[in-house]
């Protein structure tokens, strides 16, 4: 499988799970749109901090 879990990096450095099994992530209307395998969709107002394809992990940071 090629999906990834998306985490938010908080200001104190902790990482909080935001959405699991994401298969679509794209910029849309100045935010990040994501959708997972189950059809759940979310928008996040932030930036991509890091993508690890080996770990299937996307780390977002708040603006």
């Amino acid at each position: 499988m090629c999906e990834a879990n998306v985490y938010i990096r908080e200001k104190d450095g902790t990482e909080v799970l935001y959405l699991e099994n994401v298969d679509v992530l794209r910029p849309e209307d100045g935010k990040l749109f994501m959708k997972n395998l189950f059809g759940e969709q979310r928008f996040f107002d932030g930036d991509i901090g890091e993508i690890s394809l080996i770990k299937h992990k996307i780390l977002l940071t708040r603006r």
Side-chain angles (χ1 to χ4, degrees), residues 23-39:
D23 66 335
V24 175
L25 175 69
R26 66 174 179 253
E28 189 172 310
D29 298 327
K31 297 182 179 180
L32 296 172
F33 168 81
M34 59 201 86
K35 184 176 84 173
N36 70 12
L37 291 175
F38 309 105

Side-chain angles (χ1 to χ4, degrees), residues 35-50:
K35 184 176 84 173
N36 70 12
L37 291 175
F38 309 105
E40 187 177 356
Q41 300 177 9
R42 290 192 177 177
F43 283 91
F44 182 74
D45 189 14
D47 299 304
I48 296 173
E50 180 180 326

